């Protein structure tokens, strides 16, 4: 699935992430990666659900938190985006992505 994502074959990637999740349904990283594919396909509701499932499985998965910030901004859910931005910055304030996350808040 990761190779298909890298090759911009998003529908195939989503399908393979689904197959992987059938074997490991609670795998936070797989849920996050499938959500990224769903996001790129415009399936924002599914993406949000899988990102939230990823965080429920692993509350430290910083990529899922960041992705929820981005998703909230794209869909106009500013309150959700802000909540996850605050969480992201509390968890990882010095990461290279922290400045990008702050930039999202200014957009």
């Amino acid at each position: 699935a990761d190779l298909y994502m890298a090759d911009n074959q998003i529908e195939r990637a989503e399908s393979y992430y689904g197959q992987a999740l059938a074997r490991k349904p609670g795998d936070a990283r797989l849920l996050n990666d499938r959500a990224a594919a769903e996001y790129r396909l415009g399936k924002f509701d599914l993406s949000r659900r899988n990102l939230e499932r990823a965080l429920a499985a692993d509350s430290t998965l910083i990529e899922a938190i960041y992705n929820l910030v981005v998703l909230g901004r794209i869909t106009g859910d500013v309150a959700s985006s802000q909540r996850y931005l605050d969480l992201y910055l509390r968890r990882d304030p010095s990461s290279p992505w922290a400045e990008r996350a702050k930039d999202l808040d200014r957009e």
Side-chain angles (χ1 to χ4, degrees), residues 26-66:
D27 186 294
R29 195 154 302 280
L30 285 172
L31 288 163
N32 178 73
D33 293 346
R34 183 169 188 180
E38 292 163 341
Y39 168 83
R40 293 194 46 202
L41 292 170
K43 300 177 180 180
F44 300 133
D45 289 337
L46 286 173
S47 182
R48 179 182 311 281
R49 281 193 297 253
N50 279 320
L51 288 169
E52 289 171 348
R53 286 179 56 208
L55 282 182
D58 180 357
S59 65
T60 66
L61 187 61
I62 199 74
E63 295 92 339
I65 298 169
Y66 182 85

Side-chain angles (χ1 to χ4, degrees), residues 6-91:
D7 194 35
N8 206 32
Q9 296 182 49
I10 310 307
E11 289 170 346
R12 288 185 106 175
E14 180 192 28
S15 174
Y16 279 98
Y17 286 129
Q19 290 176 33
L21 282 164
R23 293 186 181 116
K24 294 175 139 186
D27 186 294
R29 195 154 302 280
L30 285 172
L31 288 163
N32 178 73
D33 293 346
R34 183 169 188 180
E38 292 163 341
Y39 168 83
R40 293 194 46 202
L41 292 170
K43 300 177 180 180
F44 300 133
D45 289 337
L46 286 173
S47 182
R48 179 182 311 281
R49 281 193 297 253
N50 279 320
L51 288 169
E52 289 171 348
R53 286 179 56 208
L55 282 182
D58 180 357
S59 65
T60 66
L61 187 61
I62 199 74
E63 295 92 339
I65 298 169
Y66 182 85
N67 288 338
L68 281 161
V69 174
V70 172
L71 186 61
R73 289 293 170 192
I74 294 297
T75 61
D77 188 350
V78 177
S80 173
S81 182
Q82 187 62 51
R83 184 175 72 246
Y84 286 112
L85 175 62
D86 293 344
L87 177 60
Y88 181 88
L89 293 175
R90 280 195 309 273
R91 294 259 172 96

